[in-house]
Amino acid sequence: MGFLAFLLLGLIAGAIAKFILPGRQNGGWFATLILGVVGAMLGGWLGSVLFNAPLEEFFSIQTWLVAIGGSLIVLLIYGAFTAGRRR
């Protein structure tokens, strides 16, 4: 998968993770992109270690599931660290 496809996957996976997770998360589209890309990397690593499901094809359901799952994990960790800074 190319670099731009990976960024697009991260942005969409991060947006889906923010939609799935209840509550209000801080950050705009750039934070969503960063959290989504980090989440896709984490999901790809966990998927390859636990389920032997790497991030190779953009239109593969496995790719999307592990990217969204990783983004949810990263978003939960991000929310735990920024919970004290909310107004």
Side-chain angles (χ1 to χ4, degrees), residues 4-86:
L4 291 177
F6 191 71
L7 285 179
L8 181 63
L9 172 72
L11 179 62
I12 296 170
I16 291 171
K18 278 189 169 186
F19 180 74
I20 291 172
L21 202 63
R24 183 164 190 255
Q25 293 85 23
N26 294 333
W29 68 270
F30 188 72
T32 302
L33 173 70
I34 298 299
L35 292 173
V37 169
V38 171
M41 290 172 44
L42 175 68
W45 178 76
L46 285 174
S48 66
V49 169
L50 298 175
F51 307 114
N52 198 21
L55 291 172
E56 292 178 357
E57 298 286 329
F58 185 78
F59 292 108
S60 169
I61 191 72
Q62 280 181 314
T63 300
W64 286 94
L65 290 177
V66 296
I68 293 169
S71 296
L72 283 169
I73 292 170
V74 170
L75 193 58
L76 286 170
I77 293 170
Y78 177 75
F81 280 115
T82 61
R85 291 190 253 172
R86 292 185 187 154

